[in-house]
Amino acid sequence: MIKLMKYEFRKTLFVKLIVLAAAALAEIVFLIGVLGDRERMTGTGIVLLTMLAMGGIMVIGLASVVTLHRDVSTKQSYMLFMTPNSSYSILGAKMLENGLSILLTGACFFALGALDITLLFAHEKRLDALWNTIRQFLEQFNEQITLDLPTMLSLAANMICSWISTVTAMYLGVVIANALLKGKRFSGFVSFLVIIALLWLIGYVQVETLDASVSFRTAYWADTGIALGFSVIMYILAAQIMERKLSV
C-alpha cells in the first residue's frame, strides 16, 4: 500500500508543486504589503491566498480524479493493474494519498492563515476594533456563531472532508463510466448524473440528520463525520465494481 501511495504521489507531484509555488509567491506579496505598509499589496496577497486555499485543494482533488480516469480508460497504467494488488488496494492508495494531500494542504493553509491574521493584527492594531465589531454582529445574528479557533477549525475540517467526499463520488462516477458503461452512449453523462445524485444524497442526510437546536460547531463536526462515512461507502462500492467489472 505504501509503495502504491508513493506512486500516486509522484503522478500528481507536479500539480502540488505548482500550488506550493503559487502559495509562496502570494505569501511574499502579503508580507511585503504588511511590512512595507502597502495596503494594496496586502489586500492583493490576502485575496490570492484565499483563492489558493480554496482552489489549490480543489485542484489537488481533481488531479487525482483525472489520474484515475487515465488509469482505467487508457493503457498508460496497464502495468499497475498487472501487479499483485487488488482493486481495493489500488483505489485505496489513490484515495488515501489524495485524502492526506488534501488534509495536509488544508492544514497548511489554515495555519498560514492564522499566522498571517496574527501578524496583520499585530502590525495594524486598529483592526482589533473592526474584528470585535464583526464578532459582535455575528453573535447578535445568532449567539451560536463565534469566530474562535475551535469553531474555525471545525468549519475548515468540514469543508476539507466535504471535498474529499466529493472527490470520492467522482471516483465512483469514473469507475461506473469505464467499468459498467464503457463503450455505451452517454456513459459520461450518466456517470455525471450519478455524481450529482450522490452529492445531493450526502447533503440531504447532513441536513436531515441533525436537530436545528444543535450548535454550529456540533453541526460542522457531524457533517464532517457523515461526509467521511459516505466516502468509505463509495470507496467500497467503486473498488467492488473495479474488482468485478473493470477490464483494462
Side-chain angles (χ1 to χ4, degrees), residues 144-189:
Q144 293 182 351
I145 300 178
T146 59
L147 293 180
D148 55 13
L149 182 60
T151 299
M152 298 301 291
L153 182 61
S154 65
L155 175 59
N158 175 259
M159 294 174 64
I160 291 171
C161 291
S162 293
W163 179 239
I164 290 175
S165 68
T166 300
V167 172
T168 310
M170 293 181 186
Y171 283 166
L172 180 55
V174 168
V175 170
I176 289 175
N178 289 278
L180 298 180
L181 304 174
K182 188 173 184 178
K184 297 182 179 179
R185 295 182 62 185
F186 308 115
S187 60
F189 180 69

Side-chain angles (χ1 to χ4, degrees), residues 59 61-73 76 171 174:
V59 167
L62 291 174
S64 181
V65 175
V66 171
T67 300
L68 174 63
H69 174 70
R70 291 175 179 171
D71 288 345
V72 298
S73 63
Q76 74 169 27
Y171 283 166
V174 168

Side-chain angles (χ1 to χ4, degrees), residues 16 19-20 23 49-50 52-61 97-115 152-153 155-161 163-164:
K16 296 180 177 69
V19 173
L20 179 62
L49 287 169
T50 302
L52 283 168
M54 296 183 292
I57 291 173
M58 292 180 64
V59 167
I60 290 174
E97 187 279 326
N98 185 249
L100 288 173
S101 294
I102 290 175
L103 286 172
L104 288 175
T105 302
C108 288
F109 274 113
F110 183 84
L112 184 62
L115 289 173
M152 298 301 291
L153 182 61
L155 175 59
N158 175 259
M159 294 174 64
I160 291 171
C161 291
W163 179 239
I164 290 175

Side-chain angles (χ1 to χ4, degrees), residues 85-155:
N85 293 291
S86 66
S87 296
Y88 286 94
S89 296
I90 294 173
L91 186 62
K94 291 179 182 293
M95 183 175 176
L96 287 174
E97 187 279 326
N98 185 249
L100 288 173
S101 294
I102 290 175
L103 286 172
L104 288 175
T105 302
C108 288
F109 274 113
F110 183 84
L112 184 62
L115 289 173
D116 285 346
I117 290 174
T118 301
L119 175 62
L120 185 61
F121 274 64
H123 190 269
E124 301 285 346
K125 298 183 183 301
R126 65 179 184 272
L127 292 177
D128 289 341
L130 176 61
W131 181 258
N132 290 330
T133 300
I134 294 173
R135 292 182 63 177
Q136 291 173 5
F137 172 77
L138 290 175
E139 290 173 0
Q140 289 178 357
F141 178 74
N142 190 317
E143 62 182 11
Q144 293 182 351
I145 300 178
T146 59
L147 293 180
D148 55 13
L149 182 60
T151 299
M152 298 301 291
L153 182 61
S154 65
L155 175 59

